[in-house]
Amino acid sequence: MAWSIADVARMSGVTSRTLRHYDEIGLLPHAWIGSNGHRYYEEADLLRLQQILLMRELDLGLREIQAVLDSQVDRVAVLREHHERLLRERDRLETLARTVGRTIAELEESKRDRGDNAMTKINRPENLFEGFEPSPAIDAEVRERWPKAWEQSRQAVATMTDEDSERWQREVTAQMIRFAEFMVAGTPVTDPAVQAEVDAHYQGVCRFWTPNAAAYKGLGNTYVEDPQFRTNFDKVADGLAEYQRDAMVAYADARLS
């Protein structure tokens, strides 16, 4: 049995344009072309597409996926590996759900005890980020515009132990709180104390990759525009993402340009 490109797009949720792109780069060749000029796919192609989508969910690039598919012949073994990684991801998401639930409970308790207009106090701020994978400065802009830097950051993250990851999370949380304190106090982003904190942030990023001025500004924009990053900042203080972004722009203009 064969399915048209329109059928495959409907079943998989992948656009016809993307399927044609996968075909053109050799990632997912069509089985044959009908008399109507349309691409058709067979069962083996659907199984290959499933593996592609699974690896995309695991944040692999198209070249990496191509290499994996070309090197693996045992489909069951490949699917078993994907299944194990998905189970680990499920466990991580369950941890994230507990983290958010705990934060909601602490915020509600704080409102009851201190009033709606009182400044919220988080008892253990490091708990805000339990379950988040350490992904410093790894974002779509870095991956697309600076692939070498993206790969460098991936390799650095891969070498982190659980203790390294926990320590990094504590450092990031503490630094976000310090930025929030500056913001609440009305300290300008160009203030030397704020810029010293930005410099510490930049040096921390350089543990994973070394951004130039444009890339560092792009990272700041990611904090504001990416929903996951924005949510993390909003958990600490509303407006914090914009404040830190603006401080990073000032730093990049003064120190990295």
Side-chain angles (χ1 to χ4, degrees):
M1 184 174 180
W3 295 266
S4 70
I5 189 171
D7 292 333
V8 176
R10 175 181 50 79
M11 289 187 293
S12 66
V14 178
T15 66
S16 297
R17 179 178 179 180
T18 297
L19 290 171
R20 286 193 292 270
H21 175 63
Y22 288 172
D23 191 351
E24 290 166 1
I25 64 176
L27 182 61
L28 183 66
H30 60 273
W32 44 276
I33 294 180
S35 57
N36 55 7
H38 294 171
R39 294 172 170 87
Y40 283 84
Y41 298 84
E42 297 181 347
E43 183 175 294
D45 307 314
L46 298 187
L47 289 171
R48 185 177 176 93
L49 177 58
Q50 182 196 54
Q51 293 180 61
I52 292 170
L53 296 181
L54 282 170
M55 284 186 276
R56 290 294 285 168
E57 287 289 332
L58 296 170
D59 202 31
L60 271 69
L62 296 183
R63 290 183 180 179
E64 295 172 290
I65 295 173
Q66 179 86 61
V68 171
L69 293 178
D70 289 347
S71 64
Q72 299 284 354
V73 294
D74 188 339
R75 296 182 185 274
V76 175
V78 173
L79 288 173
R80 184 175 290 114
E81 180 181 349
H82 293 329
H83 184 239
E84 291 172 355
R85 296 182 68 176
L86 289 169
L87 291 177
R88 291 195 296 270
E89 179 68 6
R90 179 201 63 187
D91 294 341
R92 187 181 73 84
L93 291 175
E94 288 178 353
T95 300
L96 282 174
R98 290 195 299 270
T99 296
V100 174
R102 183 171 56 240
T103 301
I104 292 171
E106 288 197 12
L107 292 175
E108 289 179 340
E109 182 179 358
S110 178
K111 284 186 177 181
R112 288 194 300 269
D113 295 343
R114 300 162 64 87
D116 289 343
N117 296 324
M119 182 175 290
T120 299
K121 179 180 180 182
I122 299 296
N123 294 325
R124 293 187 62 196
E126 64 271 16
N127 285 344
L128 289 173
F129 302 102
E130 182 181 359
F132 285 101
E133 291 184 328
S135 55
I138 301 178
D139 57 81
E141 183 172 3
V142 174
R143 185 172 184 172
E144 294 298 325
R145 296 182 60 185
W146 301 282
K148 290 183 179 179
W150 182 81
E151 183 59 32
Q152 178 186 353
S153 64
R154 283 195 58 180
Q155 292 174 0
V157 169
T159 64
M160 295 177 72
T161 65
D162 290 342
E163 291 181 355
D164 293 335
S165 175
E166 183 178 351
R167 182 168 56 253
W168 175 80
Q169 288 181 355
R170 288 197 301 267
E171 291 172 356
V172 169
T173 303
Q175 188 171 69
M176 292 174 72
I177 292 172
R178 290 194 295 272
F179 274 114
E181 290 172 345
F182 283 129
M183 181 186 71
V184 172
T187 309
V189 296
T190 54
D191 185 275
V194 177
Q195 287 300 296
E197 195 65 57
V198 178
D199 183 63
H201 175 269
Y202 179 77
Q203 299 305 322
V205 171
C206 288
R207 292 162 52 188
F208 303 92
W209 65 294
T210 305
N212 58 21
Y216 194 53
K217 290 179 182 180
L219 175 60
N221 286 330
T222 299
Y223 290 165
V224 175
E225 297 169 1
D226 183 271
Q228 180 174 326
F229 276 109
R230 180 63 178 261
T231 298
N232 292 344
F233 280 91
D234 285 347
K235 287 177 183 177
V236 178
D238 289 338
L240 179 58
E242 288 88 350
Y243 182 83
Q244 184 163 335
R245 185 269 317 276
D246 293 345
M248 292 167 65
V249 168
Y251 179 90
D253 287 339
R255 302 281 294 273
L256 303 180
S257 296

